[in-house]
Coordinates of all heavy atoms in Angstrom, one line a residue:
M1 N 0.8 -1.2 0.0 CA 0.0 0.0 0.0 C 0.9 1.3 0.0 O 1.8 1.4 0.8 CB -0.9 0.0 1.3 CG -2.1 0.8 1.1 SD -3.4 0.5 2.3 CE -2.8 1.3 3.7
F2 N 0.6 2.2 -0.8 CA 1.4 3.4 -1.1 C 1.0 4.5 -0.1 O 1.8 5.5 0.0 CB 1.3 3.9 -2.5 CG 1.9 2.9 -3.5 CD1 1.0 2.1 -4.2 CD2 3.2 2.7 -3.6 CE1 1.5 1.2 -5.1 CE2 3.7 1.8 -4.5 CZ 2.9 1.0 -5.3
V3 N -0.1 4.5 0.6 CA -0.6 5.5 1.4 C -0.2 5.3 2.8 O -0.3 4.2 3.3 CB -2.1 5.7 1.3 CG1 -2.6 6.8 2.2 CG2 -2.5 5.9 -0.1
K4 N 0.4 6.2 3.5 CA 0.9 6.1 4.9 C 0.1 7.1 5.8 O -0.5 8.0 5.4 CB 2.3 6.4 5.1 CG 3.2 5.4 4.3 CD 4.7 5.7 4.6 CE 5.6 4.7 3.9 NZ 7.0 5.0 4.1
T5 N 0.1 6.8 7.1 CA -0.5 7.6 8.1 C 0.2 9.0 8.1 O 1.4 9.1 8.0 CB -0.3 7.0 9.5 OG1 -1.0 5.7 9.5 CG2 -1.0 7.9 10.6
G6 N -0.6 10.1 8.1 CA 0.0 11.4 8.0 C 0.1 12.0 6.7 O 0.3 13.2 6.5
D7 N -0.2 11.2 5.6 CA -0.2 11.8 4.2 C -1.5 12.6 4.1 O -2.5 12.4 4.6 CB -0.3 10.6 3.2 CG 1.0 10.0 3.0 OD1 2.1 10.5 3.5 OD2 1.0 8.9 2.4
T8 N -1.4 13.6 3.2 CA -2.6 14.4 2.8 C -3.1 13.8 1.5 O -2.3 13.6 0.6 CB -2.2 15.9 2.6 OG1 -1.6 16.4 3.8 CG2 -3.4 16.7 2.3
V9 N -4.3 13.5 1.5 CA -4.9 12.8 0.3 C -6.1 13.5 -0.2 O -6.8 14.3 0.5 CB -5.3 11.3 0.7 CG1 -4.1 10.5 1.0 CG2 -6.3 11.2 1.8
K10 N -6.5 13.3 -1.4 CA -7.7 13.8 -2.1 C -8.6 12.6 -2.4 O -8.1 11.6 -3.0 CB -7.3 14.6 -3.3 CG -8.5 15.2 -4.1 CD -8.0 15.9 -5.3 CE -9.2 16.6 -6.0 NZ -8.8 17.3 -7.2
V11 N -9.8 12.7 -2.1 CA -10.8 11.6 -2.4 C -11.2 11.7 -3.9 O -11.6 12.9 -4.3 CB -12.0 11.7 -1.5 CG1 -13.0 10.6 -1.8 CG2 -11.6 11.6 0.0
I12 N -11.1 10.7 -4.7 CA -11.4 10.8 -6.1 C -12.6 10.0 -6.5 O -13.1 10.1 -7.6 CB -10.2 10.3 -6.9 CG1 -9.9 8.8 -6.6 CG2 -9.0 11.2 -6.8 CD1 -8.9 8.2 -7.5
A13 N -13.3 9.4 -5.5 CA -14.5 8.6 -5.8 C -15.4 8.5 -4.5 O -14.9 8.6 -3.4 CB -14.2 7.2 -6.3
G14 N -16.7 8.4 -4.7 CA -17.6 8.3 -3.6 C -18.3 9.6 -3.3 O -18.2 10.6 -4.0
K15 N -19.1 9.6 -2.2 CA -19.9 10.8 -1.9 C -19.1 11.9 -1.5 O -19.5 13.1 -1.6 CB -20.9 10.4 -0.8 CG -20.3 10.1 0.6 CD -21.4 9.8 1.6 CE -20.7 9.5 2.9 NZ -21.2 10.3 3.9
D16 N -17.9 11.8 -1.0 CA -17.0 12.8 -0.5 C -16.0 13.2 -1.6 O -14.9 13.7 -1.3 CB -16.3 12.5 0.8 CG -17.2 12.4 1.9 OD1 -18.1 13.3 2.0 OD2 -17.2 11.4 2.7
R17 N -16.2 12.9 -2.9 CA -15.3 13.2 -4.0 C -14.9 14.7 -4.0 O -15.7 15.6 -3.9 CB -16.0 12.8 -5.3 CG -15.2 13.0 -6.5 CD -15.9 12.4 -7.6 NE -15.4 12.9 -8.9 CZ -16.0 12.7 -10.0 NH1 -17.2 12.2 -10.1 NH2 -15.4 13.2 -11.1
G18 N -13.6 14.9 -4.2 CA -13.0 16.2 -4.2 C -12.5 16.7 -2.9 O -11.9 17.7 -2.8
T19 N -12.9 16.0 -1.8 CA -12.5 16.4 -0.4 C -11.0 16.1 -0.2 O -10.6 15.0 -0.6 CB -13.4 15.8 0.6 OG1 -14.7 16.0 0.2 CG2 -13.1 16.3 1.9
T20 N -10.3 16.9 0.5 CA -9.0 16.6 0.9 C -8.9 16.4 2.4 O -9.7 17.1 3.2 CB -7.9 17.7 0.5 OG1 -8.3 18.9 1.1 CG2 -7.9 17.8 -1.0
G21 N -8.0 15.6 2.9 CA -7.9 15.4 4.3 C -6.6 14.6 4.7 O -5.9 14.2 3.8
K22 N -6.3 14.5 5.9 CA -5.1 13.9 6.4 C -5.5 12.4 6.8 O -6.5 12.2 7.4 CB -4.6 14.6 7.6 CG -3.2 14.2 8.1 CD -2.7 15.1 9.1 CE -1.3 14.7 9.6 NZ -0.8 15.6 10.6
V23 N -4.6 11.5 6.5 CA -4.8 10.1 6.8 C -4.6 9.9 8.3 O -3.5 10.1 8.8 CB -3.9 9.1 6.0 CG1 -4.1 7.7 6.5 CG2 -4.2 9.3 4.5
I24 N -5.6 9.5 9.0 CA -5.5 9.2 10.5 C -4.9 7.9 10.8 O -4.1 7.7 11.6 CB -6.9 9.4 11.1 CG1 -7.5 10.7 11.0 CG2 -6.8 9.0 12.6 CD1 -8.9 10.9 11.4
K25 N -5.4 6.9 10.0 CA -5.0 5.5 10.2 C -5.0 4.8 8.9 O -5.9 4.9 8.1 CB -6.0 4.8 11.1 CG -5.6 3.4 11.6 CD -6.7 2.8 12.4 CE -6.9 3.4 13.7 NZ -7.9 2.7 14.6
A26 N -4.0 4.0 8.7 CA -3.8 3.1 7.5 C -4.1 1.7 7.9 O -3.5 1.2 8.9 CB -2.5 3.3 6.8
L27 N -4.9 1.0 7.2 CA -5.3 -0.4 7.5 C -4.8 -1.3 6.3 O -5.6 -1.6 5.4 CB -6.8 -0.5 7.7 CG -7.3 0.4 8.8 CD1 -8.9 0.4 8.7 CD2 -6.9 0.0 10.2
P28 N -3.5 -1.7 6.2 CA -3.0 -2.4 5.1 C -3.6 -3.8 4.9 O -3.6 -4.3 3.7 CB -1.5 -2.4 5.3 CG -1.3 -2.2 6.7 CD -2.5 -1.4 7.2
K29 N -4.0 -4.5 5.9 CA -4.6 -5.8 5.8 C -5.8 -5.8 5.0 O -6.1 -6.8 4.3 CB -4.8 -6.4 7.2 CG -3.5 -6.8 7.8 CD -3.7 -7.6 9.1 CE -2.4 -8.0 9.7 NZ -2.5 -8.8 10.9
I30 N -6.6 -4.8 5.1 CA -7.9 -4.7 4.4 C -7.9 -3.6 3.3 O -8.9 -3.3 2.7 CB -9.1 -4.5 5.3 CG1 -8.9 -3.2 6.1 CG2 -9.3 -5.7 6.2 CD1 -10.1 -2.9 7.0
N31 N -6.7 -3.1 3.0 CA -6.6 -2.0 1.9 C -7.5 -0.8 2.1 O -8.1 -0.4 1.2 CB -6.7 -2.6 0.5 CG -5.5 -3.4 0.1 OD1 -4.4 -3.1 0.5 ND2 -5.7 -4.4 -0.7
K32 N -7.6 -0.3 3.3 CA -8.4 0.8 3.6 C -7.7 1.9 4.4 O -6.7 1.6 5.0 CB -9.7 0.4 4.3 CG -10.6 -0.5 3.5 CD -11.9 -0.6 4.0 CE -12.8 -1.5 3.1 NZ -14.2 -1.4 3.4
V33 N -8.1 3.1 4.4 CA -7.6 4.2 5.2 C -8.7 5.0 5.8 O -9.8 5.0 5.3 CB -6.7 5.1 4.3 CG1 -5.4 4.4 3.8 CG2 -7.5 5.7 3.1
V34 N -8.4 5.6 6.9 CA -9.3 6.5 7.6 C -8.8 7.9 7.4 O -7.7 8.2 7.8 CB -9.4 6.1 9.1 CG1 -10.4 7.1 9.8 CG2 -9.9 4.7 9.3
V35 N -9.7 8.7 6.8 CA -9.3 10.1 6.4 C -10.1 11.0 7.3 O -11.3 10.9 7.4 CB -9.5 10.4 4.9 CG1 -9.1 11.8 4.6 CG2 -8.8 9.4 4.1
E36 N -9.4 12.1 7.8 CA -10.0 13.0 8.7 C -11.1 13.8 7.9 O -10.8 14.4 6.9 CB -8.9 14.0 9.1 CG -9.3 15.0 10.1 CD -8.1 15.8 10.6 OE1 -7.4 16.3 9.7 OE2 -7.9 16.0 11.8
G37 N -12.3 13.8 8.4 CA -13.4 14.6 7.9 C -14.1 13.9 6.7 O -14.9 14.6 6.0
V38 N -13.8 12.7 6.3 CA -14.3 12.0 5.2 C -15.1 10.7 5.6 O -14.6 10.1 6.6 CB -13.2 11.6 4.2 CG1 -13.7 10.9 3.0 CG2 -12.5 12.9 3.7
A39 N -16.2 10.4 5.0 CA -17.0 9.2 5.3 C -17.5 9.2 6.7 O -17.3 8.3 7.4 CB -16.2 7.9 4.9
I40 N -18.1 10.3 7.1 CA -18.6 10.4 8.5 C -19.8 9.5 8.6 O -20.7 9.5 7.8 CB -19.0 11.9 8.8 CG1 -17.8 12.8 8.6 CG2 -19.6 12.0 10.2 CD1 -16.7 12.6 9.6
M41 N -19.8 8.7 9.7 CA -20.9 7.8 10.0 C -21.3 8.0 11.5 O -20.5 8.5 12.2 CB -20.7 6.4 9.7 CG -19.6 5.7 10.6 SD -19.4 4.1 10.1 CE -19.4 3.3 11.7
K42 N -22.6 7.7 11.8 CA -23.1 7.8 13.2 C -23.0 6.5 13.9 O -23.3 5.5 13.3 CB -24.5 8.3 13.2 CG -24.6 9.8 12.6 CD -25.9 10.3 12.8 CE -25.9 11.8 12.3 NZ -26.9 12.6 12.7
K43 N -22.5 6.5 15.1 CA -22.4 5.3 15.9 C -23.2 5.6 17.2 O -22.9 6.6 17.9 CB -20.9 5.0 16.2 CG -20.7 3.8 17.1 CD -19.2 3.6 17.4 CE -19.1 2.4 18.2 NZ -17.6 2.1 18.5
H44 N -24.1 4.7 17.5 CA -24.9 4.8 18.7 C -24.2 4.1 19.9 O -23.7 3.0 19.8 CB -26.3 4.2 18.5 CG -27.1 4.9 17.4 ND1 -28.0 5.8 17.7 CD2 -27.0 4.8 16.1 CE1 -28.5 6.3 16.6 NE2 -27.9 5.7 15.6
Q45 N -24.1 4.8 21.0 CA -23.4 4.3 22.1 C -24.4 4.1 23.3 O -25.3 4.9 23.5 CB -22.3 5.3 22.6 CG -21.4 4.8 23.6 CD -20.3 5.8 23.9 OE1 -20.6 7.0 24.2 NE2 -19.1 5.4 23.9
K46 N -24.2 2.9 23.9 CA -25.1 2.6 25.1 C -24.8 3.6 26.2 O -23.7 4.1 26.3 CB -24.9 1.2 25.5 CG -25.4 0.2 24.6 CD -25.2 -1.2 25.2 CE -25.8 -2.3 24.4 NZ -25.7 -3.6 25.1
P47 N -25.8 3.7 27.1 CA -25.5 4.5 28.3 C -24.3 4.0 29.1 O -24.2 2.8 29.3 CB -26.8 4.4 29.1 CG -27.8 4.1 28.1 CD -27.2 3.3 27.1
N48 N -23.5 4.8 29.6 CA -22.4 4.5 30.5 C -22.1 5.6 31.5 O -22.9 6.5 31.6 CB -21.1 4.2 29.6 CG -20.7 5.3 28.7 OD1 -21.1 6.5 29.0 ND2 -20.0 5.0 27.7
S49 N -21.0 5.5 32.2 CA -20.7 6.5 33.3 C -20.5 7.9 32.7 O -20.9 8.9 33.3 CB -19.6 6.0 34.1 OG -18.4 5.9 33.3
E50 N -19.9 8.0 31.5 CA -19.7 9.3 30.9 C -20.9 9.9 30.3 O -21.2 11.1 30.4 CB -18.7 9.1 29.8 CG -17.2 8.8 30.2 CD -16.3 8.6 29.1 OE1 -16.6 9.0 27.9 OE2 -15.2 8.1 29.3
N51 N -21.7 9.1 29.7 CA -23.0 9.5 29.1 C -24.2 8.7 29.7 O -24.5 7.6 29.1 CB -23.0 9.4 27.5 CG -21.9 10.2 26.9 OD1 -21.8 11.4 27.3 ND2 -21.2 9.6 26.0
P52 N -24.8 9.1 30.7 CA -25.8 8.3 31.3 C -27.0 8.0 30.5 O -27.8 7.1 30.6 CB -26.3 9.1 32.6 CG -25.2 10.2 32.8 CD -24.5 10.3 31.5
S53 N -27.3 9.0 29.5 CA -28.4 8.7 28.6 C -28.0 8.2 27.3 O -28.9 8.1 26.3 CB -29.2 10.0 28.4 OG -28.3 11.0 27.8
G54 N -26.7 7.8 27.1 CA -26.3 7.3 25.8 C -25.8 8.4 24.9 O -25.9 9.6 25.3
A55 N -25.4 8.1 23.7 CA -24.9 9.2 22.8 C -24.9 8.7 21.4 O -24.9 7.5 21.1 CB -23.5 9.6 23.2
I56 N -25.0 9.7 20.5 CA -24.8 9.3 19.0 C -23.5 10.0 18.6 O -23.4 11.3 18.6 CB -26.0 9.8 18.2 CG1 -27.2 9.1 18.7 CG2 -25.7 9.6 16.8 CD1 -28.5 9.6 18.0
L57 N -22.5 9.2 18.3 CA -21.2 9.8 18.0 C -21.0 9.8 16.4 O -21.5 9.0 15.7 CB -20.0 8.9 18.5 CG -20.1 8.7 20.0 CD1 -19.1 7.6 20.4 CD2 -19.9 9.9 20.8
E58 N -20.3 10.8 15.9 CA -20.0 10.9 14.5 C -18.5 10.6 14.3 O -17.6 11.3 14.9 CB -20.3 12.2 13.9 CG -21.8 12.6 13.9 CD -22.1 13.8 13.1 OE1 -21.1 14.6 12.8 OE2 -23.3 14.0 12.9
I59 N -18.2 9.4 13.7 CA -16.8 9.0 13.5 C -16.5 8.8 12.0 O -17.4 8.7 11.2 CB -16.5 7.7 14.3 CG1 -17.4 6.6 13.8 CG2 -16.7 7.9 15.7 CD1 -17.1 5.2 14.3
E60 N -15.2 8.8 11.7 CA -14.8 8.6 10.3 C -14.8 7.1 10.0 O -14.2 6.3 10.8 CB -13.5 9.1 10.0 CG -13.4 10.7 10.0 CD -13.0 11.2 11.3 OE1 -12.8 10.5 12.3 OE2 -12.9 12.5 11.5
A61 N -15.4 6.6 8.9 CA -15.4 5.3 8.5 C -14.1 5.0 7.5 O -13.8 5.9 6.8 CB -16.7 4.9 7.8
P62 N -13.6 3.8 7.5 CA -12.5 3.5 6.5 C -13.1 3.6 5.1 O -14.2 3.1 4.8 CB -12.1 2.1 6.9 CG -12.7 1.8 8.2 CD -13.9 2.7 8.4
I63 N -12.3 4.0 4.2 CA -12.6 4.0 2.8 C -11.5 3.3 2.0 O -10.3 3.2 2.5 CB -12.8 5.4 2.2 CG1 -11.6 6.2 2.3 CG2 -14.0 6.1 2.8 CD1 -11.7 7.6 1.6
H64 N -11.8 2.7 0.9 CA -10.8 1.9 0.1 C -9.7 2.8 -0.4 O -9.9 3.9 -0.8 CB -11.4 1.1 -1.0 CG -10.7 0.0 -1.5 ND1 -9.7 0.1 -2.5 CD2 -10.6 -1.3 -1.1 CE1 -9.1 -1.0 -2.7 NE2 -9.6 -1.9 -1.8
V65 N -8.5 2.2 -0.4 CA -7.3 3.0 -0.7 C -7.3 3.4 -2.2 O -6.7 4.4 -2.6 CB -6.0 2.3 -0.3 CG1 -5.7 1.1 -1.2 CG2 -4.9 3.2 -0.3
S66 N -8.1 2.7 -3.0 CA -8.1 3.1 -4.5 C -9.0 4.3 -4.7 O -8.9 4.9 -5.8 CB -8.7 1.9 -5.2 OG -10.1 1.7 -4.9
N67 N -9.7 4.8 -3.7 CA -10.6 6.0 -3.8 C -9.8 7.2 -3.4 O -10.5 8.3 -3.3 CB -11.8 5.8 -3.0 CG -12.7 4.7 -3.5 OD1 -12.6 4.4 -4.7 ND2 -13.5 4.1 -2.7
V68 N -8.5 7.2 -3.1 CA -7.8 8.4 -2.7 C -6.5 8.4 -3.5 O -6.0 7.4 -4.0 CB -7.4 8.4 -1.2 CG1 -8.7 8.4 -0.4 CG2 -6.6 7.2 -0.8
Q69 N -6.0 9.7 -3.7 CA -4.7 9.9 -4.3 C -3.9 10.8 -3.4 O -4.4 11.8 -2.8 CB -4.8 10.6 -5.6 CG -5.2 9.7 -6.8 CD -5.1 10.3 -8.1 OE1 -5.3 11.5 -8.2 NE2 -4.9 9.5 -9.1
V70 N -2.6 10.6 -3.2 CA -1.8 11.3 -2.3 C -1.4 12.7 -3.0 O -1.1 12.8 -4.1 CB -0.5 10.5 -2.1 CG1 0.4 11.3 -1.2 CG2 -0.8 9.2 -1.4
L71 N -1.5 13.7 -2.1 CA -1.1 15.1 -2.6 C 0.3 15.4 -2.2 O 0.8 15.0 -1.1 CB -2.0 16.1 -1.9 CG -3.5 16.1 -2.3 CD1 -4.2 17.1 -1.4 CD2 -3.7 16.4 -3.7
D72 N 1.1 16.1 -3.1 CA 2.4 16.5 -2.7 C 2.4 17.8 -2.1 O 1.3 18.4 -1.8 CB 3.3 16.5 -3.9 CG 2.9 17.4 -5.1 OD1 1.9 18.2 -4.8 OD2 3.5 17.4 -6.1
K73 N 3.5 18.5 -1.8 CA 3.5 19.7 -1.1 C 2.9 20.9 -1.9 O 2.4 21.8 -1.3 CB 5.0 20.1 -0.8 CG 5.6 19.1 0.2 CD 7.1 19.4 0.3 CE 7.7 18.3 1.2 NZ 9.2 18.3 1.0
N74 N 2.8 20.8 -3.2 CA 2.2 21.8 -4.1 C 0.7 21.5 -4.3 O 0.1 22.3 -5.0 CB 2.9 21.8 -5.4 CG 4.4 22.2 -5.3 OD1 4.7 23.0 -4.4 ND2 5.2 21.7 -6.1
G75 N 0.2 20.5 -3.8 CA -1.2 20.2 -3.9 C -1.6 19.4 -5.1 O -2.8 19.4 -5.5
V76 N -0.6 18.8 -5.8 CA -0.9 18.0 -7.0 C -1.1 16.5 -6.6 O -0.4 15.9 -5.9 CB 0.4 18.0 -8.0 CG1 0.1 17.2 -9.1 CG2 0.7 19.5 -8.3
A77 N -2.3 16.1 -7.0 CA -2.7 14.7 -6.7 C -2.2 13.8 -7.8 O -2.3 14.1 -9.0 CB -4.2 14.6 -6.6
G78 N -1.6 12.6 -7.4 CA -1.1 11.7 -8.4 C -0.9 10.3 -7.8 O -1.0 10.2 -6.6
R79 N -0.5 9.4 -8.6 CA -0.2 8.1 -8.1 C 1.2 8.1 -7.5 O 2.0 9.1 -7.7 CB -0.1 7.1 -9.3 CG -1.6 6.9 -9.8 CD -1.6 5.9 -10.9 NE -0.7 6.3 -12.0 CZ -0.4 5.5 -13.0 NH1 -0.8 4.3 -13.1 NH2 0.5 5.9 -13.9
V80 N 1.5 7.1 -6.7 CA 2.8 7.1 -5.9 C 3.7 6.0 -6.4 O 3.2 4.9 -6.8 CB 2.5 6.8 -4.4 CG1 3.8 6.7 -3.6 CG2 1.7 8.0 -3.9
G81 N 5.0 6.3 -6.6 CA 5.9 5.3 -7.0 C 7.1 5.3 -6.1 O 7.2 6.2 -5.2
Y82 N 8.0 4.3 -6.2 CA 9.2 4.3 -5.4 C 10.4 4.4 -6.3 O 10.4 4.0 -7.5 CB 9.3 2.9 -4.7 CG 8.4 2.8 -3.5 CD1 7.2 2.1 -3.6 CD2 8.7 3.4 -2.3 CE1 6.3 1.9 -2.6 CE2 7.8 3.2 -1.2 CZ 6.7 2.5 -1.4 OH 5.8 2.4 -0.3
K83 N 11.4 5.1 -5.8 CA 12.7 5.2 -6.5 C 13.8 5.3 -5.5 O 13.6 5.6 -4.3 CB 12.8 6.3 -7.5 CG 12.7 7.7 -6.9 CD 12.7 8.7 -8.1 CE 12.6 10.1 -7.6 NZ 12.6 11.1 -8.7
V84 N 15.1 5.0 -5.9 CA 16.2 5.1 -5.0 C 16.9 6.4 -5.2 O 17.3 6.8 -6.3 CB 17.2 3.9 -5.2 CG1 18.4 4.0 -4.3 CG2 16.4 2.6 -5.0
V85 N 17.1 7.2 -4.1 CA 17.8 8.4 -4.1 C 18.9 8.3 -3.0 O 18.5 8.2 -1.8 CB 16.8 9.6 -3.9 CG1 17.6 10.9 -3.8 CG2 15.8 9.7 -5.0
D86 N 20.1 8.5 -3.3 CA 21.2 8.4 -2.4 C 21.2 7.2 -1.6 O 21.3 7.2 -0.3 CB 21.2 9.7 -1.5 CG 21.4 10.9 -2.3 OD1 22.1 10.9 -3.2 OD2 20.8 11.9 -1.8
D87 N 21.0 6.0 -2.2 CA 21.0 4.7 -1.5 C 19.8 4.6 -0.6 O 19.9 3.8 0.4 CB 22.3 4.3 -0.9 CG 23.4 4.2 -1.9 OD1 23.1 3.9 -3.0 OD2 24.6 4.5 -1.5
K88 N 18.8 5.3 -0.7 CA 17.6 5.3 0.1 C 16.4 5.2 -0.7 O 16.2 6.0 -1.7 CB 17.6 6.6 1.0 CG 16.6 6.5 2.1 CD 16.7 7.8 3.0 CE 15.7 7.8 4.1 NZ 15.8 9.0 4.9
K89 N 15.4 4.3 -0.4 CA 14.2 4.1 -1.1 C 13.2 5.2 -0.6 O 12.9 5.2 0.5 CB 13.7 2.7 -0.9 CG 12.5 2.3 -1.7 CD 12.1 0.8 -1.4 CE 10.8 0.4 -2.1 NZ 10.4 -0.9 -1.7
V90 N 12.7 6.0 -1.6 CA 11.7 7.0 -1.3 C 10.5 6.9 -2.1 O 10.6 6.4 -3.2 CB 12.4 8.4 -1.4 CG1 13.5 8.6 -0.4 CG2 12.9 8.7 -2.8
R91 N 9.4 7.5 -1.6 CA 8.2 7.6 -2.4 C 8.2 8.9 -3.2 O 8.7 9.9 -2.7 CB 7.0 7.5 -1.5 CG 6.8 6.2 -0.7 CD 5.5 6.2 0.1 NE 5.4 7.4 1.0 CZ 4.3 8.0 1.3 NH1 3.2 7.5 0.9 NH2 4.3 9.0 2.1
F92 N 7.6 8.9 -4.4 CA 7.5 10.1 -5.2 C 6.1 10.1 -5.9 O 5.5 9.1 -6.2 CB 8.7 10.3 -6.1 CG 8.6 9.3 -7.3 CD1 8.1 9.8 -8.6 CD2 9.0 8.0 -7.3 CE1 8.1 9.0 -9.6 CE2 8.9 7.2 -8.4 CZ 8.5 7.7 -9.6
N93 N 5.7 11.4 -6.2 CA 4.5 11.6 -7.0 C 4.8 11.4 -8.5 O 5.6 12.1 -9.0 CB 3.9 13.0 -6.7 CG 2.6 13.3 -7.3 OD1 2.3 12.7 -8.3 ND2 1.8 14.1 -6.6
K94 N 4.1 10.5 -9.1 CA 4.4 10.2 -10.5 C 4.0 11.3 -11.4 O 4.6 11.4 -12.5 CB 3.7 8.9 -10.9 CG 4.3 7.6 -10.3 CD 3.7 6.4 -10.9 CE 4.4 5.2 -10.4 NZ 3.9 3.9 -11.0
K95 N 3.0 12.1 -11.1 CA 2.6 13.2 -11.9 C 3.5 14.4 -11.9 O 3.9 14.9 -12.9 CB 1.2 13.6 -11.5 CG 0.5 14.5 -12.5 CD -1.0 14.7 -12.1 CE -1.7 15.4 -13.1 NZ -3.2 15.5 -12.8
S96 N 4.0 14.8 -10.7 CA 4.8 15.9 -10.5 C 6.2 15.6 -10.4 O 7.1 16.4 -10.6 CB 4.4 16.8 -9.3 OG 4.6 16.1 -8.2
G97 N 6.6 14.4 -10.0 CA 8.0 13.9 -9.8 C 8.5 14.3 -8.5 O 9.7 14.1 -8.3
E98 N 7.7 15.0 -7.6 CA 8.2 15.4 -6.3 C 8.3 14.3 -5.3 O 7.4 13.4 -5.3 CB 7.3 16.5 -5.8 CG 7.8 17.2 -4.5 CD 7.0 18.4 -4.2 OE1 6.4 19.0 -5.0 OE2 6.9 18.6 -3.0
I99 N 9.4 14.3 -4.5 CA 9.6 13.3 -3.5 C 8.6 13.5 -2.3 O 8.5 14.7 -1.8 CB 11.0 13.3 -3.0 CG1 11.9 12.8 -4.2 CG2 11.2 12.3 -1.9 CD1 13.4 12.9 -4.0
L100 N 8.0 12.5 -1.8 CA 7.0 12.6 -0.7 C 7.6 12.5 0.7 O 7.1 13.1 1.6 CB 5.8 11.6 -0.9 CG 5.0 11.8 -2.2 CD1 4.1 10.6 -2.4 CD2 4.3 13.1 -2.2
D101 N 8.6 11.6 0.8 CA 9.2 11.3 2.1 C 10.3 12.3 2.5 O 11.1 12.7 1.7 CB 9.7 9.9 2.1 CG 8.6 8.9 2.1 OD1 7.5 9.2 2.5 OD2 8.9 7.8 1.6

């Protein structure tokens, strides 16, 4: 998976198409990412000591990694590739050629 936690991504498919956000969590085993402010869903919580009457929480749901593209520092969205620079493997944006790491 080419997307890592902390990357800024642009959503290219789905109801939040065109939205940008930061990756909160990467889930490589299921090829999904959790993006800040994208795919908001409601979760109902039973009553507990913090909320005696229960609560309805809004949380970010995971979305498939194929529905996002990584943004570089200039805001250009593109696919990610790997290349070796100074004997170090780094990620780069294939569209702009800029190094991401």
